[in-house]
Amino acid sequence: MADAPGNALLSVKRAAKFYGQKLVFKEVSCDVGPGQIVLVAGPNGAGKSTLMRIMAGLSKPSAGDVDLRLEPEETAYLGHATFIYPGLSALANLKFWASMYGLSPSRDELMALLKRVGLERVAEEKAGAFSRGMAQRLNLARIYLVEPKLIFLDEPGTGLDPKSLATLRGEIAGFRDRGTSVIWISHHVAEDTALADMVLALGGRRVEYFGPASGYEVASC
């Protein structure tokens, strides 16, 4: 795990966000280094998803600076919406997404990705019939297509069955092993802190804690 600012993939300095006159948060600063898993915690309405969109370059801060030191194709974003095409099979979805990145993997390579997320048996089935967990696993396969250096996960465990949730957590741990950084919003903070290197906790329209995950429970008492 690397946490030196000079080696950061992403640096946020005193970011603030307003919607009209309403303050969402202010004075948010953090750095994310290679191979780090950063868990973003906080109550509903604290601005977690808004902050993640700003970090990913999908929205602009009202004040402050965000320095994402990666090309767009080196990042991946998995939000609440799955963005799968319901009329296409799982295999066709992957093939389409690959074409969007200018890639042309073989059928065997695509099947290997589906096997990795436990969907090889439904490769030819239309994705519109998939459960929430299956759809999220297909989304994970989409991320694997591009092998990004930084992944943004906005509550990817929402609505997942225990098996799919366990698979997701295993894959997140695997990202770290491969040197990929993950910024991860979770409502299962008590369970997921153990997988994180750092915790960024929002509350009261500002950062309540940013530091090692091992110290978060003590710091937040």
Side-chain angles (χ1 to χ4, degrees), residues 24-38:
V24 182
F25 53 71
K26 64 179 180 179
E27 299 292 328
V28 174
S29 297
C30 66
D31 294 294
V32 180
Q36 279 191 333
I37 295 181
V38 179

Side-chain angles (χ1 to χ4, degrees), residues 193-214:
T193 299
L195 288 174
D197 299 305
M198 306 286 286
V199 171
L200 172 64
L202 295 176
R205 299 185 178 87
R206 62 178 65 240
V207 174
E208 290 187 331
Y209 178 87
F210 178 61
S214 58

Side-chain angles (χ1 to χ4, degrees), residues 120-131:
E120 72 277 14
R121 294 184 179 180
V122 294
E124 299 292 355
E125 294 185 16
K126 289 186 177 181
F130 286 4
S131 68

Side-chain angles (χ1 to χ4, degrees), residues 59-123:
S59 180
K60 293 184 179 297
S62 302
D65 297 302
V66 177
D67 184 11
L68 180 57
R69 301 167 188 171
L70 295 169
E71 297 299 322
E73 61 271 18
E74 295 178 307
T75 68
Y77 184 97
L78 196 161
H80 296 283
T82 58
F83 296 110
I84 63 173
Y85 291 89
L88 298 179
S89 68
L91 193 62
N93 266 280
L94 280 187
K95 186 175 181 180
F96 173 77
W97 287 325
S99 69
M100 293 295 97
Y101 286 101
L103 304 174
S104 52
S106 67
R107 178 186 172 85
D108 287 346
E109 289 171 328
L110 295 177
M111 287 298 296
L113 291 177
L114 291 175
K115 183 176 181 179
R116 183 172 169 182
V117 296
L119 295 176
E120 72 277 14
R121 294 184 179 180
V122 294

Side-chain angles (χ1 to χ4, degrees), residues 34-58:
Q36 279 191 333
I37 295 181
V38 179
L39 187 68
V40 182
N44 290 336
K48 301 184 297 296
S49 294
T50 299
L51 176 60
M52 177 170 283
R53 289 180 60 80
I54 289 172
M55 288 175 162
L58 300 175

